[in-house]
């Protein structure tokens, strides 16, 4: 099936929210997310002739946005190489005692199946992700949501060793799972 | 025996990478005796699977109530108009 392109005047009402949600979910900063939506639509406008109509317009626009997001990560890491790894050292351990045993426990959680519950769950998870330092949250979303491979994440985010990445991911997962326990499961 | 802290790292690494044989043995031995690590590992698997699934479906993982602000819409519209007209 071939898709026709809509009038660019309609892009903001048609796709503005969808692109913004995609963007903010990954970059976390509202102003950056808005800029990326703008850059995406501008790039789309310039590349209009290249749109072959094979993918839907929405898929095509998200494809452009994906590239813009990756470019953004690359640019930011060049400026802030040290910041992420500083968290490794700065983060004090709230979850383990000196012998390396847990200070917390986890309850069993059953997958929310009703769509309303799932929506609520996603909101809770988002709130927990928002408690992470933004750069950590970006990294986490790259890994979990977009399944970007470890080597690529290290390169994109300027992380010096894969071991450091594993330690960061592990800490985030403990923190998130604990946050879910407090905010969702005990509801 | 590995500590819970070390095992938590392996439980997480396991989601991203294949563990070495030594790591796997250490992990299995520990969780066979430690309920918290066993639960923890199971639980982060679930969150991981859920997020991956949302991502695969091309969803944004953001609630529908999250919207582009009115100000941003206007700003972007101005920028687009500049180029197209
Ligand atoms: Zn344990």
């Amino acid at each position: 099936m071939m898709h026709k392109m809509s009038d660019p005047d309609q892009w903001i009402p048609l796709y503005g929210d969808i692109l913004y949600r995609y963007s903010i979910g990954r970059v976390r900063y509202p102003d950056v997310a808005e800029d990326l939506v703008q850059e995406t639509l501008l790039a789309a406008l310039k590349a209009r002739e290249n749109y072959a109509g094979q993918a839907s317009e929405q898929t095509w626009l998200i494809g452009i946005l994906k590239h813009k997001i990756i470019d953004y990560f690359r640019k930011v890491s060049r400026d802030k190489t040290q910041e992420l790894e500083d968290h490794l050292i700065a983060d004090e351990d709230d979850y383990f005692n000196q012998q390396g045993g847990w200070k917390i426990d986890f309850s069993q959680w059953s997958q929310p199946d009703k769509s309303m519950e799932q929506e609520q769950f996603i909101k809770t998870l988002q709130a927990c992700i928002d408690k992470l330092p933004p750069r950590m949250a970006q990294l986490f979303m790259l890994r979990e949501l977009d399944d970007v491979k470890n080597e690529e994440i290290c390169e994109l985010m300027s992380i010096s060793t894969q071991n450091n990445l594993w330690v960061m991911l592990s800490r985030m997962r403990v923190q998130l799972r604990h946050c879910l326990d407090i905010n969702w499961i005990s509801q | 025996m590995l500590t819970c802290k070390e095992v938590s790292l392996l439980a997480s690494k396991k989601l991203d990478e294949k563990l070495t044989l030594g790591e796997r043995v250490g992990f299995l031995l520990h969780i066979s005796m430690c309920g918290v690590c066993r639960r923890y590992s199971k639980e982060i698997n679930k969150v991981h699977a859920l997020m991956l699934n949302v991502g695969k479906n091309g969803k944004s993982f953001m609630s529908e109530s999250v919207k582009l602000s009115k100000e941003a819409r206007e700003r972007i519209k101005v920028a687009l108009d500049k180029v197209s007209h």
Side-chain angles (χ1 to χ4, degrees), chain A residues 102, chain B residues 4 30 34 37:
Chain A
W102 289 106
Chain B
C4 294
H30 183 105
C34 174
C37 283

Side-chain angles (χ1 to χ4, degrees), chain B residues 33-62:
Chain B
M33 286 179 283
C34 174
V36 187
C37 283
R38 195 159 53 235
R39 255 188 316 280
Y40 174 68
S41 178
K42 226 189 256 171
E43 291 301 314
I44 61 169
N45 264 314
K46 286 184 203 163
V47 178
H48 179 72
L50 180 101
M51 289 189 69
L52 208 58
N53 199 28
V54 171
K56 271 205 186 108
N57 290 328
K59 288 194 207 139
S60 57
F61 207 70
M62 272 293 178

Side-chain angles (χ1 to χ4, degrees), chain A residues 14-171:
Chain A
L14 280 175
Y15 307 116
D17 290 336
I18 293 166
L19 293 173
Y20 179 68
R21 280 197 281 271
Y22 189 94
S23 179
I24 184 92
R26 284 154 176 88
V27 302
R28 320 304 302 176
Y29 298 105
D31 51 337
V32 176
E34 288 170 2
D35 284 350
L36 289 171
V37 172
Q38 175 168 329
E39 280 180 38
T40 298
L41 293 180
L42 284 173
L45 203 57
K46 285 180 193 140
R48 222 165 359 154
E49 285 80 37
N50 303 335
Y51 176 68
Q54 260 130 1
S56 75
E57 200 166 55
Q58 182 177 321
T59 308
W60 178 65
L61 290 170
I62 285 187
I64 300 174
L65 176 58
K66 263 185 198 168
H67 281 110
K68 296 283 172 201
I69 292 173
I70 297 284
D71 286 348
Y72 162 77
F73 284 140
R74 252 187 245 285
K75 208 176 86 213
V76 175
S77 337
R78 267 203 302 274
D79 306 338
K80 297 188 180 175
T81 314
Q82 208 40 51
E83 192 197 325
L84 263 181
E85 311 217 17
D86 285 347
H87 286 300
L88 272 185
I89 310 156
D91 246 356
E92 274 305 304
D93 230 316
D94 294 328
Y95 305 111
F96 298 97
N97 60 32
Q98 296 217 304
Q99 290 75 43
W102 289 106
K103 281 201 245 172
I104 49 171
D105 199 348
F106 303 93
S107 55
Q108 306 259 15
W109 162 66
S110 58
Q111 183 110 6
D113 42 8
K114 293 188 213 88
S115 66
M116 216 184 75
E117 253 179 43
Q118 206 152 33
E119 168 90 6
Q120 197 55 48
F121 176 78
I122 286 176
K123 264 193 197 157
T124 311
L125 187 52
Q126 279 295 352
C128 288
I129 293 169
D130 277 337
K131 289 187 184 143
L132 298 169
R135 293 277 290 151
M136 294 289 241
Q138 291 172 347
L139 189 159
F140 186 73
M141 297 311 265
L142 274 179
R143 179 67 203 90
E144 296 287 61
L145 208 51
D146 292 330
D147 201 21
V148 177
K149 296 296 167 218
N150 288 326
E151 306 89 76
E152 209 183 330
I153 292 183
C154 287
E155 192 234 302
L156 260 182
M157 309 292 273
S158 297
I159 297 165
S160 54
T161 67
Q162 287 212 27
N163 197 57
N164 282 357
L165 175 64
W166 286 320
V167 173
M168 286 182 219
L169 282 170
S170 174
R171 286 196 183 166

Side-chain angles (χ1 to χ4, degrees), chain A residues 109 112 117 120-121 124 179-187:
Chain A
W109 162 66
E117 253 179 43
Q120 197 55 48
F121 176 78
T124 311
C179 177
L180 281 178
D181 246 346
I182 296 167
N183 295 293
W184 168 258
I185 291 143
S186 59
Q187 258 181 7

